[in-house]
Amino acid sequence: MKILMVVSAMVIVLSSCGSTQLEVSECKSTNWEQKGLKDGASGVDVLEFNNYVAACETENVVPDKEAYYSGFQDGLVTYCTYDNGVELGKRSGKYYMACKDYKDFGTGYAKGVDIFIEERERREVEKLTRPTVEMGKAVAIPGPAR
């Protein structure tokens, strides 16, 4: 069960890497509820809808805002999980607050940010404690005074 959750989270995270660009030719044929569902499930910023409106203006097509937002809300149910929150936080990813009503997502995001900070601090400590190389020679770092 846990593997299924991890795989699901990875699929959603990877799918959010895809482009949300909309070809002008798609304006007339797009099912706006399905587009909203896909965007919501991918963690796309809801304001992306404004870009769709702008793209479709050249075709004199007005995207169906109600259908898009309905689908978007349904998609958030898939996206706004604890596991996705952790993954986004670990990447120090942008959080658009779309999941503000999903407590588990926020808890996971906070956990992920903690992991991100711990890893960053660990790398910094490793840099400071690693022997440095000067002109091809290892330079010893003095220890504490005794």
Side-chain angles (χ1 to χ4, degrees), residues 105-135:
F105 180 88
T107 302
Y109 184 76
K111 174 71 173 171
V113 168
D114 287 345
I115 292 168
F116 172 80
I117 291 169
E118 287 173 11
E119 285 295 311
R120 185 182 61 198
E121 288 174 352
R122 182 189 56 75
R123 286 189 302 272
E124 289 298 316
V125 168
E126 283 178 358
K127 277 187 207 174
L128 294 173
T129 58
R130 191 176 301 142
T132 59
V133 177
E134 181 181 302
M135 301 295 264

Side-chain angles (χ1 to χ4, degrees), residues 61-128:
V61 174
V62 178
D64 185 341
K65 185 177 184 178
E66 301 257 337
Y68 178 84
Y69 285 127
S70 174
F72 189 86
Q73 291 303 315
D74 291 343
L76 289 180
V77 173
T78 303
Y79 179 76
C80 296
T81 64
Y82 176 84
D83 290 336
N84 277 346
V86 171
E87 288 305 312
L88 186 64
K90 282 171 45 177
R91 292 191 327 264
S92 187
K94 237 180 199 174
Y95 176 30
Y96 298 108
M97 298 302 290
C99 298
K100 69 181 181 303
D101 295 332
Y102 296 84
K103 184 180 177 194
D104 287 345
F105 180 88
T107 302
Y109 184 76
K111 174 71 173 171
V113 168
D114 287 345
I115 292 168
F116 172 80
I117 291 169
E118 287 173 11
E119 285 295 311
R120 185 182 61 198
E121 288 174 352
R122 182 189 56 75
R123 286 189 302 272
E124 289 298 316
V125 168
E126 283 178 358
K127 277 187 207 174
L128 294 173

